[in-house]
PDB file of all heavy atoms in Angstrom:
ATOM      1  N   ARG A1118       0.859  -1.183   0.000  1.00 84.00           N
ATOM      2  CA  ARG A1118       0.000   0.000   0.000  1.00 84.00           C
ATOM      3  C   ARG A1118       0.889   1.225   0.000  1.00 84.00           C
ATOM      4  O   ARG A1118       2.027   1.174   0.444  1.00 84.00           O
ATOM      5  CB  ARG A1118      -0.890   0.046   1.244  1.00 84.00           C
ATOM      6  CG  ARG A1118      -1.812  -1.137   1.434  1.00 84.00           C
ATOM      7  CD  ARG A1118      -2.493  -1.061   2.776  1.00 84.00           C
ATOM      8  NE  ARG A1118      -3.322  -2.210   3.061  1.00 84.00           N
ATOM      9  CZ  ARG A1118      -3.835  -2.488   4.243  1.00 84.00           C
ATOM     10  NH1 ARG A1118      -3.611  -1.687   5.260  1.00 84.00           N
ATOM     11  NH2 ARG A1118      -4.592  -3.566   4.419  1.00 84.00           N
ATOM     12  N   THR A1119       0.349   2.352  -0.462  1.00 90.00           N
ATOM     13  CA  THR A1119       1.093   3.594  -0.348  1.00 90.00           C
ATOM     14  C   THR A1119       1.105   4.021   1.116  1.00 90.00           C
ATOM     15  O   THR A1119       0.264   3.565   1.915  1.00 90.00           O
ATOM     16  CB  THR A1119       0.442   4.704  -1.189  1.00 90.00           C
ATOM     17  OG1 THR A1119      -0.855   5.010  -0.632  1.00 90.00           O
ATOM     18  CG2 THR A1119       0.283   4.272  -2.642  1.00 90.00           C
ATOM     19  N   PRO A1120       2.045   4.901   1.503  1.00 92.00           N
ATOM     20  CA  PRO A1120       2.018   5.404   2.881  1.00 92.00           C
ATOM     21  C   PRO A1120       0.697   6.068   3.239  1.00 92.00           C
ATOM     22  O   PRO A1120       0.200   5.908   4.362  1.00 92.00           O
ATOM     23  CB  PRO A1120       3.176   6.410   2.909  1.00 92.00           C
ATOM     24  CG  PRO A1120       4.083   5.978   1.819  1.00 92.00           C
ATOM     25  CD  PRO A1120       3.209   5.405   0.749  1.00 92.00           C
ATOM     26  N   GLN A1121       0.109   6.825   2.280  1.00 92.00           N
ATOM     27  CA  GLN A1121      -1.178   7.466   2.546  1.00 92.00           C
ATOM     28  C   GLN A1121      -2.259   6.431   2.839  1.00 92.00           C
ATOM     29  O   GLN A1121      -3.061   6.595   3.764  1.00 92.00           O
ATOM     30  CB  GLN A1121      -1.615   8.324   1.334  1.00 92.00           C
ATOM     31  CG  GLN A1121      -0.682   9.480   1.027  1.00 92.00           C
ATOM     32  CD  GLN A1121       0.275   9.140  -0.102  1.00 92.00           C
ATOM     33  OE1 GLN A1121       0.797   8.029  -0.171  1.00 92.00           O
ATOM     34  NE2 GLN A1121       0.499  10.101  -0.984  1.00 92.00           N
ATOM     35  N   GLU A1122      -2.293   5.359   2.040  1.00 90.00           N
ATOM     36  CA  GLU A1122      -3.293   4.306   2.228  1.00 90.00           C
ATOM     37  C   GLU A1122      -3.100   3.603   3.563  1.00 90.00           C
ATOM     38  O   GLU A1122      -4.078   3.301   4.258  1.00 90.00           O
ATOM     39  CB  GLU A1122      -3.218   3.294   1.086  1.00 90.00           C
ATOM     40  CG  GLU A1122      -3.671   3.843  -0.259  1.00 90.00           C
ATOM     41  CD  GLU A1122      -3.336   2.923  -1.414  1.00 90.00           C
ATOM     42  OE1 GLU A1122      -2.447   2.050  -1.257  1.00 90.00           O
ATOM     43  OE2 GLU A1122      -3.955   3.074  -2.478  1.00 90.00           O
ATOM     44  N   PHE A1123      -1.861   3.344   3.929  1.00 90.00           N
ATOM     45  CA  PHE A1123      -1.590   2.664   5.191  1.00 90.00           C
ATOM     46  C   PHE A1123      -2.012   3.535   6.372  1.00 90.00           C
ATOM     47  O   PHE A1123      -2.648   3.048   7.313  1.00 90.00           O
ATOM     48  CB  PHE A1123      -0.106   2.327   5.309  1.00 90.00           C
ATOM     49  CG  PHE A1123       0.237   1.539   6.549  1.00 90.00           C
ATOM     50  CD1 PHE A1123       0.202   0.156   6.539  1.00 90.00           C
ATOM     51  CD2 PHE A1123       0.587   2.187   7.732  1.00 90.00           C
ATOM     52  CE1 PHE A1123       0.508  -0.568   7.679  1.00 90.00           C
ATOM     53  CE2 PHE A1123       0.893   1.474   8.874  1.00 90.00           C
ATOM     54  CZ  PHE A1123       0.850   0.088   8.851  1.00 90.00           C
ATOM     55  N   LEU A1124      -1.661   4.826   6.337  1.00 92.00           N
ATOM     56  CA  LEU A1124      -2.024   5.739   7.410  1.00 92.00           C
ATOM     57  C   LEU A1124      -3.544   5.847   7.530  1.00 92.00           C
ATOM     58  O   LEU A1124      -4.092   5.792   8.643  1.00 92.00           O
ATOM     59  CB  LEU A1124      -1.412   7.120   7.160  1.00 92.00           C
ATOM     60  CG  LEU A1124      -1.782   8.235   8.150  1.00 92.00           C
ATOM     61  CD1 LEU A1124      -1.372   7.864   9.570  1.00 92.00           C
ATOM     62  CD2 LEU A1124      -1.130   9.559   7.726  1.00 92.00           C
ATOM     63  N   LEU A1125      -4.228   5.981   6.397  1.00 91.00           N
ATOM     64  CA  LEU A1125      -5.687   6.058   6.415  1.00 91.00           C
ATOM     65  C   LEU A1125      -6.290   4.788   7.000  1.00 91.00           C
ATOM     66  O   LEU A1125      -7.173   4.843   7.865  1.00 91.00           O
ATOM     67  CB  LEU A1125      -6.219   6.285   5.003  1.00 91.00           C
ATOM     68  CG  LEU A1125      -7.739   6.220   4.833  1.00 91.00           C
ATOM     69  CD1 LEU A1125      -8.426   7.326   5.622  1.00 91.00           C
ATOM     70  CD2 LEU A1125      -8.129   6.290   3.352  1.00 91.00           C
ATOM     71  N   ASN A1126      -5.811   3.636   6.551  1.00 88.00           N
ATOM     72  CA  ASN A1126      -6.350   2.365   7.031  1.00 88.00           C
ATOM     73  C   ASN A1126      -6.086   2.183   8.516  1.00 88.00           C
ATOM     74  O   ASN A1126      -6.954   1.687   9.263  1.00 88.00           O
ATOM     75  CB  ASN A1126      -5.742   1.215   6.239  1.00 88.00           C
ATOM     76  CG  ASN A1126      -6.429  -0.103   6.531  1.00 88.00           C
ATOM     77  OD1 ASN A1126      -7.594  -0.299   6.229  1.00 88.00           O
ATOM     78  ND2 ASN A1126      -5.696  -1.017   7.142  1.00 88.00           N
ATOM     79  N   TYR A1127      -4.905   2.611   8.968  1.00 89.00           N
ATOM     80  CA  TYR A1127      -4.576   2.487  10.391  1.00 89.00           C
ATOM     81  C   TYR A1127      -5.514   3.356  11.220  1.00 89.00           C
ATOM     82  O   TYR A1127      -6.054   2.910  12.242  1.00 89.00           O
ATOM     83  CB  TYR A1127      -3.125   2.900  10.633  1.00 89.00           C
ATOM     84  CG  TYR A1127      -2.614   2.491  11.996  1.00 89.00           C
ATOM     85  CD1 TYR A1127      -1.996   1.256  12.180  1.00 89.00           C
ATOM     86  CD2 TYR A1127      -2.746   3.333  13.103  1.00 89.00           C
ATOM     87  CE1 TYR A1127      -1.536   0.869  13.422  1.00 89.00           C
ATOM     88  CE2 TYR A1127      -2.293   2.954  14.347  1.00 89.00           C
ATOM     89  CZ  TYR A1127      -1.681   1.723  14.497  1.00 89.00           C
ATOM     90  OH  TYR A1127      -1.234   1.333  15.741  1.00 89.00           O
ATOM     91  N   ARG A1128      -5.723   4.590  10.783  1.00 91.00           N
ATOM     92  CA  ARG A1128      -6.626   5.492  11.507  1.00 91.00           C
ATOM     93  C   ARG A1128      -8.055   4.945  11.535  1.00 91.00           C
ATOM     94  O   ARG A1128      -8.727   4.964  12.574  1.00 91.00           O
ATOM     95  CB  ARG A1128      -6.609   6.874  10.852  1.00 91.00           C
ATOM     96  CG  ARG A1128      -5.383   7.696  11.188  1.00 91.00           C
ATOM     97  CD  ARG A1128      -5.307   8.955  10.356  1.00 91.00           C
ATOM     98  NE  ARG A1128      -4.366   9.921  10.934  1.00 91.00           N
ATOM     99  CZ  ARG A1128      -3.865  10.954  10.292  1.00 91.00           C
ATOM    100  NH1 ARG A1128      -4.215  11.172   9.025  1.00 91.00           N
ATOM    101  NH2 ARG A1128      -3.028  11.783  10.895  1.00 91.00           N
ATOM    102  N   MET A1129      -8.528   4.444  10.397  1.00 90.00           N
ATOM    103  CA  MET A1129      -9.905   3.948  10.339  1.00 90.00           C
ATOM    104  C   MET A1129     -10.080   2.680  11.175  1.00 90.00           C
ATOM    105  O   MET A1129     -11.124   2.463  11.795  1.00 90.00           O
ATOM    106  CB  MET A1129     -10.308   3.688   8.884  1.00 90.00           C
ATOM    107  CG  MET A1129     -10.407   4.948   8.031  1.00 90.00           C
ATOM    108  SD  MET A1129     -11.594   6.173   8.686  1.00 90.00           S
ATOM    109  CE  MET A1129     -10.452   7.425   9.315  1.00 90.00           C
ATOM    110  N   THR A1130      -9.053   1.843  11.201  1.00 88.00           N
ATOM    111  CA  THR A1130      -9.133   0.635  12.024  1.00 88.00           C
ATOM    112  C   THR A1130      -9.195   0.996  13.500  1.00 88.00           C
ATOM    113  O   THR A1130      -9.975   0.408  14.267  1.00 88.00           O
ATOM    114  CB  THR A1130      -7.931  -0.285  11.755  1.00 88.00           C
ATOM    115  OG1 THR A1130      -7.880  -0.598  10.362  1.00 88.00           O
ATOM    116  CG2 THR A1130      -8.052  -1.586  12.542  1.00 88.00           C
ATOM    117  N   LYS A1131      -8.385   1.969  13.908  1.00 88.00           N
ATOM    118  CA  LYS A1131      -8.447   2.445  15.288  1.00 88.00           C
ATOM    119  C   LYS A1131      -9.815   3.068  15.583  1.00 88.00           C
ATOM    120  O   LYS A1131     -10.359   2.893  16.684  1.00 88.00           O
ATOM    121  CB  LYS A1131      -7.342   3.475  15.542  1.00 88.00           C
ATOM    122  CG  LYS A1131      -5.935   2.899  15.567  1.00 88.00           C
ATOM    123  CD  LYS A1131      -5.730   1.989  16.766  1.00 88.00           C
ATOM    124  CE  LYS A1131      -4.287   1.539  16.883  1.00 88.00           C
ATOM    125  NZ  LYS A1131      -4.085   0.603  18.020  1.00 88.00           N
ATOM    126  N   ALA A1132     -10.371   3.762  14.600  1.00 90.00           N
ATOM    127  CA  ALA A1132     -11.689   4.370  14.785  1.00 90.00           C
ATOM    128  C   ALA A1132     -12.755   3.299  14.998  1.00 90.00           C
ATOM    129  O   ALA A1132     -13.646   3.462  15.846  1.00 90.00           O
ATOM    130  CB  ALA A1132     -12.045   5.237  13.575  1.00 90.00           C
ATOM    131  N   THR A1133     -12.685   2.187  14.244  1.00 88.00           N
ATOM    132  CA  THR A1133     -13.682   1.122  14.435  1.00 88.00           C
ATOM    133  C   THR A1133     -13.580   0.520  15.825  1.00 88.00           C
ATOM    134  O   THR A1133     -14.597   0.147  16.422  1.00 88.00           O
ATOM    135  CB  THR A1133     -13.531   0.009  13.381  1.00 88.00           C
ATOM    136  OG1 THR A1133     -12.239  -0.606  13.494  1.00 88.00           O
ATOM    137  CG2 THR A1133     -13.719   0.551  11.985  1.00 88.00           C
ATOM    138  N   GLU A1134     -12.362   0.422  16.361  1.00 85.00           N
ATOM    139  CA  GLU A1134     -12.201  -0.067  17.740  1.00 85.00           C
ATOM    140  C   GLU A1134     -12.954   0.829  18.716  1.00 85.00           C
ATOM    141  O   GLU A1134     -13.684   0.349  19.593  1.00 85.00           O
ATOM    142  CB  GLU A1134     -10.721  -0.102  18.120  1.00 85.00           C
ATOM    143  CG  GLU A1134      -9.935  -1.251  17.539  1.00 85.00           C
ATOM    144  CD  GLU A1134      -8.533  -1.286  18.120  1.00 85.00           C
ATOM    145  OE1 GLU A1134      -8.024  -0.227  18.544  1.00 85.00           O
ATOM    146  OE2 GLU A1134      -7.950  -2.362  18.161  1.00 85.00           O
ATOM    147  N   LEU A1135     -12.758   2.138  18.558  1.00 89.00           N
ATOM    148  CA  LEU A1135     -13.390   3.088  19.478  1.00 89.00           C
ATOM    149  C   LEU A1135     -14.899   3.116  19.293  1.00 89.00           C
ATOM    150  O   LEU A1135     -15.651   3.225  20.260  1.00 89.00           O
ATOM    151  CB  LEU A1135     -12.788   4.480  19.271  1.00 89.00           C
ATOM    152  CG  LEU A1135     -11.305   4.623  19.633  1.00 89.00           C
ATOM    153  CD1 LEU A1135     -10.771   5.987  19.206  1.00 89.00           C
ATOM    154  CD2 LEU A1135     -11.090   4.427  21.125  1.00 89.00           C
ATOM    155  N   LEU A1136     -15.355   3.013  18.053  1.00 89.00           N
ATOM    156  CA  LEU A1136     -16.797   2.988  17.800  1.00 89.00           C
ATOM    157  C   LEU A1136     -17.438   1.741  18.392  1.00 89.00           C
ATOM    158  O   LEU A1136     -18.542   1.785  18.933  1.00 89.00           O
ATOM    159  CB  LEU A1136     -17.063   3.033  16.288  1.00 89.00           C
ATOM    160  CG  LEU A1136     -16.796   4.369  15.593  1.00 89.00           C
ATOM    161  CD1 LEU A1136     -16.768   4.172  14.077  1.00 89.00           C
ATOM    162  CD2 LEU A1136     -17.844   5.409  15.970  1.00 89.00           C
ATOM    163  N   LYS A1137     -16.732   0.632  18.304  1.00 84.00           N
ATOM    164  CA  LYS A1137     -17.283  -0.640  18.759  1.00 84.00           C
ATOM    165  C   LYS A1137     -17.232  -0.783  20.274  1.00 84.00           C
ATOM    166  O   LYS A1137     -18.150  -1.332  20.897  1.00 84.00           O
ATOM    167  CB  LYS A1137     -16.518  -1.793  18.103  1.00 84.00           C
ATOM    168  CG  LYS A1137     -17.074  -3.177  18.429  1.00 84.00           C
ATOM    169  CD  LYS A1137     -16.216  -4.295  17.853  1.00 84.00           C
ATOM    170  CE  LYS A1137     -16.244  -4.284  16.343  1.00 84.00           C
ATOM    171  NZ  LYS A1137     -15.515  -5.460  15.783  1.00 84.00           N
ATOM    172  N   LEU A1138     -16.174  -0.266  20.894  1.00 82.00           N
ATOM    173  CA  LEU A1138     -15.907  -0.600  22.293  1.00 82.00           C
ATOM    174  C   LEU A1138     -16.135   0.543  23.273  1.00 82.00           C
ATOM    175  O   LEU A1138     -16.013   0.331  24.483  1.00 82.00           O
ATOM    176  CB  LEU A1138     -14.462  -1.102  22.427  1.00 82.00           C
ATOM    177  CG  LEU A1138     -14.107  -2.336  21.584  1.00 82.00           C
ATOM    178  CD1 LEU A1138     -12.625  -2.650  21.696  1.00 82.00           C
ATOM    179  CD2 LEU A1138     -14.934  -3.542  22.019  1.00 82.00           C
ATOM    180  N   THR A1139     -16.437   1.773  22.786  1.00 86.00           N
ATOM    181  CA  THR A1139     -16.609   2.908  23.699  1.00 86.00           C
ATOM    182  C   THR A1139     -17.915   3.635  23.383  1.00 86.00           C
ATOM    183  O   THR A1139     -18.568   3.377  22.370  1.00 86.00           O
ATOM    184  CB  THR A1139     -15.450   3.917  23.588  1.00 86.00           C
ATOM    185  OG1 THR A1139     -15.606   4.704  22.397  1.00 86.00           O
ATOM    186  CG2 THR A1139     -14.105   3.212  23.564  1.00 86.00           C
ATOM    187  N   GLN A1140     -18.237   4.588  24.271  1.00 88.00           N
ATOM    188  CA  GLN A1140     -19.399   5.445  24.070  1.00 88.00           C
ATOM    189  C   GLN A1140     -18.988   6.857  23.647  1.00 88.00           C
ATOM    190  O   GLN A1140     -19.801   7.785  23.702  1.00 88.00           O
ATOM    191  CB  GLN A1140     -20.220   5.513  25.378  1.00 88.00           C
ATOM    192  CG  GLN A1140     -20.804   4.189  25.815  1.00 88.00           C
ATOM    193  CD  GLN A1140     -21.972   3.740  24.952  1.00 88.00           C
ATOM    194  OE1 GLN A1140     -22.397   4.449  24.052  1.00 88.00           O
ATOM    195  NE2 GLN A1140     -22.510   2.559  25.223  1.00 88.00           N
ATOM    196  N   LEU A1141     -17.739   7.038  23.242  1.00 90.00           N
ATOM    197  CA  LEU A1141     -17.267   8.352  22.826  1.00 90.00           C
ATOM    198  C   LEU A1141     -18.089   8.881  21.657  1.00 90.00           C
ATOM    199  O   LEU A1141     -18.520   8.122  20.784  1.00 90.00           O
ATOM    200  CB  LEU A1141     -15.796   8.281  22.413  1.00 90.00           C
ATOM    201  CG  LEU A1141     -14.750   8.098  23.520  1.00 90.00           C
ATOM    202  CD1 LEU A1141     -13.385   7.834  22.914  1.00 90.00           C
ATOM    203  CD2 LEU A1141     -14.717   9.333  24.414  1.00 90.00           C
ATOM    204  N   ALA A1142     -18.287  10.199  21.628  1.00 93.00           N
ATOM    205  CA  ALA A1142     -18.984  10.820  20.511  1.00 93.00           C
ATOM    206  C   ALA A1142     -18.169  10.637  19.234  1.00 93.00           C
ATOM    207  O   ALA A1142     -16.940  10.549  19.266  1.00 93.00           O
ATOM    208  CB  ALA A1142     -19.189  12.304  20.796  1.00 93.00           C
ATOM    209  N   VAL A1143     -18.867  10.611  18.097  1.00 93.00           N
ATOM    210  CA  VAL A1143     -18.189  10.399  16.821  1.00 93.00           C
ATOM    211  C   VAL A1143     -17.150  11.481  16.569  1.00 93.00           C
ATOM    212  O   VAL A1143     -16.041  11.205  16.095  1.00 93.00           O
ATOM    213  CB  VAL A1143     -19.222  10.353  15.674  1.00 93.00           C
ATOM    214  CG1 VAL A1143     -18.522  10.381  14.312  1.00 93.00           C
ATOM    215  CG2 VAL A1143     -20.098   9.109  15.789  1.00 93.00           C
ATOM    216  N   GLY A1144     -17.473  12.726  16.907  1.00 93.00           N
ATOM    217  CA  GLY A1144     -16.508  13.806  16.719  1.00 93.00           C
ATOM    218  C   GLY A1144     -15.250  13.605  17.546  1.00 93.00           C
ATOM    219  O   GLY A1144     -14.140  13.887  17.089  1.00 93.00           O
ATOM    220  N   ASP A1145     -15.407  13.123  18.790  1.00 94.00           N
ATOM    221  CA  ASP A1145     -14.253  12.865  19.653  1.00 94.00           C
ATOM    222  C   ASP A1145     -13.407  11.717  19.113  1.00 94.00           C
ATOM    223  O   ASP A1145     -12.172  11.729  19.220  1.00 94.00           O
ATOM    224  CB  ASP A1145     -14.716  12.548  21.074  1.00 94.00           C
ATOM    225  CG  ASP A1145     -15.311  13.767  21.768  1.00 94.00           C
ATOM    226  OD1 ASP A1145     -14.958  14.897  21.379  1.00 94.00           O
ATOM    227  OD2 ASP A1145     -16.140  13.579  22.684  1.00 94.00           O
ATOM    228  N   ILE A1146     -14.067  10.726  18.545  1.00 93.00           N
ATOM    229  CA  ILE A1146     -13.329   9.609  17.953  1.00 93.00           C
ATOM    230  C   ILE A1146     -12.534  10.096  16.743  1.00 93.00           C
ATOM    231  O   ILE A1146     -11.377   9.709  16.554  1.00 93.00           O
ATOM    232  CB  ILE A1146     -14.295   8.472  17.568  1.00 93.00           C
ATOM    233  CG1 ILE A1146     -14.862   7.817  18.835  1.00 93.00           C
ATOM    234  CG2 ILE A1146     -13.601   7.433  16.681  1.00 93.00           C
ATOM    235  CD1 ILE A1146     -15.921   6.775  18.581  1.00 93.00           C
ATOM    236  N   GLY A1147     -13.153  10.984  15.953  1.00 93.00           N
ATOM    237  CA  GLY A1147     -12.430  11.562  14.834  1.00 93.00           C
ATOM    238  C   GLY A1147     -11.163  12.274  15.275  1.00 93.00           C
ATOM    239  O   GLY A1147     -10.096  12.093  14.691  1.00 93.00           O
ATOM    240  N   LYS A1148     -11.269  13.062  16.337  1.00 93.00           N
ATOM    241  CA  LYS A1148     -10.092  13.765  16.867  1.00 93.00           C
ATOM    242  C   LYS A1148      -9.052  12.780  17.381  1.00 93.00           C
ATOM    243  O   LYS A1148      -7.844  12.998  17.245  1.00 93.00           O
ATOM    244  CB  LYS A1148     -10.510  14.712  17.986  1.00 93.00           C
ATOM    245  CG  LYS A1148     -11.313  15.922  17.511  1.00 93.00           C
ATOM    246  CD  LYS A1148     -11.697  16.823  18.676  1.00 93.00           C
ATOM    247  CE  LYS A1148     -12.520  18.023  18.207  1.00 93.00           C
ATOM    248  NZ  LYS A1148     -12.914  18.891  19.337  1.00 93.00           N
ATOM    249  N   ALA A1149      -9.524  11.686  17.976  1.00 92.00           N
ATOM    250  CA  ALA A1149      -8.608  10.699  18.550  1.00 92.00           C
ATOM    251  C   ALA A1149      -7.785   9.979  17.493  1.00 92.00           C
ATOM    252  O   ALA A1149      -6.730   9.416  17.802  1.00 92.00           O
ATOM    253  CB  ALA A1149      -9.396   9.680  19.372  1.00 92.00           C
ATOM    254  N   VAL A1150      -8.264   9.999  16.240  1.00 92.00           N
ATOM    255  CA  VAL A1150      -7.515   9.341  15.173  1.00 92.00           C
ATOM    256  C   VAL A1150      -6.978  10.335  14.147  1.00 92.00           C
ATOM    257  O   VAL A1150      -6.626   9.960  13.024  1.00 92.00           O
ATOM    258  CB  VAL A1150      -8.373   8.262  14.475  1.00 92.00           C
ATOM    259  CG1 VAL A1150      -8.757   7.167  15.453  1.00 92.00           C
ATOM    260  CG2 VAL A1150      -9.607   8.858  13.813  1.00 92.00           C
ATOM    261  N   GLY A1151      -6.923  11.622  14.531  1.00 92.00           N
ATOM    262  CA  GLY A1151      -6.217  12.590  13.695  1.00 92.00           C
ATOM    263  C   GLY A1151      -7.061  13.508  12.846  1.00 92.00           C
ATOM    264  O   GLY A1151      -6.531  14.204  11.976  1.00 92.00           O
ATOM    265  N   TYR A1152      -8.385  13.548  13.071  1.00 93.00           N
ATOM    266  CA  TYR A1152      -9.263  14.409  12.282  1.00 93.00           C
ATOM    267  C   TYR A1152      -9.902  15.469  13.174  1.00 93.00           C
ATOM    268  O   TYR A1152     -10.779  15.170  13.972  1.00 93.00           O
ATOM    269  CB  TYR A1152     -10.362  13.583  11.609  1.00 93.00           C
ATOM    270  CG  TYR A1152      -9.869  12.685  10.502  1.00 93.00           C
ATOM    271  CD1 TYR A1152      -9.372  11.416  10.794  1.00 93.00           C
ATOM    272  CD2 TYR A1152      -9.898  13.087   9.172  1.00 93.00           C
ATOM    273  CE1 TYR A1152      -8.918  10.577   9.792  1.00 93.00           C
ATOM    274  CE2 TYR A1152      -9.447  12.263   8.158  1.00 93.00           C
ATOM    275  CZ  TYR A1152      -8.949  11.010   8.477  1.00 93.00           C
ATOM    276  OH  TYR A1152      -8.498  10.185   7.475  1.00 93.00           O
ATOM    277  N   GLU A1153      -9.468  16.714  13.030  1.00 91.00           N
ATOM    278  CA  GLU A1153     -10.060  17.798  13.797  1.00 91.00           C
ATOM    279  C   GLU A1153     -11.461  18.138  13.291  1.00 91.00           C
ATOM    280  O   GLU A1153     -12.322  18.555  14.044  1.00 91.00           O
ATOM    281  CB  GLU A1153      -9.161  19.042  13.730  1.00 91.00           C
ATOM    282  CG  GLU A1153      -7.896  18.941  14.568  1.00 91.00           C
ATOM    283  CD  GLU A1153      -8.205  18.842  16.057  1.00 91.00           C
ATOM    284  OE1 GLU A1153      -9.189  19.477  16.519  1.00 91.00           O
ATOM    285  OE2 GLU A1153      -7.476  18.125  16.766  1.00 91.00           O
TER     286      GLU A1153
END
């Protein structure tokens, strides 16, 4: 994969963990994986 693809996939995979296992708001999860 390109570095961009790997970074995106890593962030999204971490986001699915937080979505699945926590009650954090979606916006907070976005910030937690690098999206302001």
Side-chain angles (χ1 to χ4, degrees):
R1118 301 172 184 168
T1119 66
Q1121 297 99 319
E1122 291 169 341
F1123 184 89
L1124 176 59
L1125 173 63
N1126 190 65
Y1127 194 90
R1128 283 171 164 164
M1129 293 302 107
T1130 303
K1131 290 293 186 182
T1133 62
E1134 284 187 334
L1135 295 172
L1136 288 166
K1137 184 185 294 186
L1138 301 174
T1139 76
Q1140 297 287 357
L1141 288 171
V1143 170
D1145 291 335
I1146 291 174
K1148 290 180 181 179
V1150 297
Y1152 290 85
E1153 286 296 325

